[in-house]
Amino acid sequence: MYPDHDALAARLQQDNPRLVPERARWLARELAQADGEGFRIAGDPVHRRVNPILYRRAEAEACWRRVSAPVLAVEPEGDRLRERFGISDADHAAAFACFGSIEVRTLAAAGHNLHHDQPEAVAGIIEAFFLSQHV
C-alpha cells in the first residue's frame, strides 16, 4: 500500500534508478488502484511467483522452432541482465538460434524494464521492425 501516487513513484524509481521522475509519476498514476486506505499496484501479486508448471527448456525450444513469423528481440546491451537471471551466453544464443528469422536489437543504458527506461527508442525499434516486414 502507498499513501499516494508520489510514494508509488518513489518506489518505482528505487527499483529502477534509470526511471526518470516524470515517467515514474506517470507509471504510478497508471499502475495505481485506490484501495480505501491508499493505493496499491493494480496487478496480480502472484505474477512474481514461480510458475506451478515445470518449465522444460527442450519443450520451449521445440515450440520456438515452429515459429514461422519473423521475430524481434529487444534486449538491454550487455549480459548483466542474463547473469542476474542465471542465463549463460550459450543458452541465450541457443534460444535465439531456434527461430528461423530473428532480429535482435539492443539498447544501451537500459535494464530489465527497458520499455520504462527508453519507451521512445523501444517504440521506434518496434515500428521499424513492423514497417520492414513484407508479410
Side-chain angles (χ1 to χ4, degrees):
M1 293 296 297
Y2 302 91
D4 53 38
H5 291 116
D6 289 336
L8 176 54
R11 198 304 288 334
L12 293 171
Q13 285 188 281
Q14 179 182 341
D15 287 352
N16 182 0
R18 293 182 188 93
L19 188 58
V20 296
E22 179 183 310
R23 287 189 182 131
R25 286 190 298 274
W26 181 86
L27 279 170
R29 288 189 307 272
E30 295 299 315
L31 291 172
Q33 181 175 31
D35 200 2
E37 299 173 22
F39 295 92
R40 63 181 180 83
I41 293 178
D44 191 340
V46 299
H47 86 278
R48 290 184 178 223
R49 289 188 188 164
V50 174
N51 191 334
I53 299 168
L54 182 62
Y55 175 78
R56 295 181 177 97
R57 178 63 183 253
E59 291 174 358
E61 288 182 359
C63 291
W64 298 337
R65 284 188 197 94
R66 294 183 56 99
V67 173
S68 59
V71 173
L72 172 65
V74 184
E75 60 184 6
E77 190 173 64
D79 57 4
R80 195 164 172 220
L81 180 62
R82 290 193 306 271
E83 286 177 4
R84 180 176 152 206
F85 288 115
I87 300 169
S88 71
D89 291 341
D91 284 344
H92 185 255
F96 283 5
C98 292
F99 296 97
S101 174
I102 186 168
E103 179 179 329
V104 181
R105 296 290 307 269
T106 59
L107 280 178
H112 175 67
N113 289 318
L114 50 87
H115 56 296
H116 292 177
D117 301 340
Q118 297 189 50
E120 295 88 354
V122 172
I125 290 169
I126 293 169
E127 181 179 41
F129 176 77
F130 280 114
L131 291 174
S132 72
Q133 300 306 307
H134 304 286
V135 180

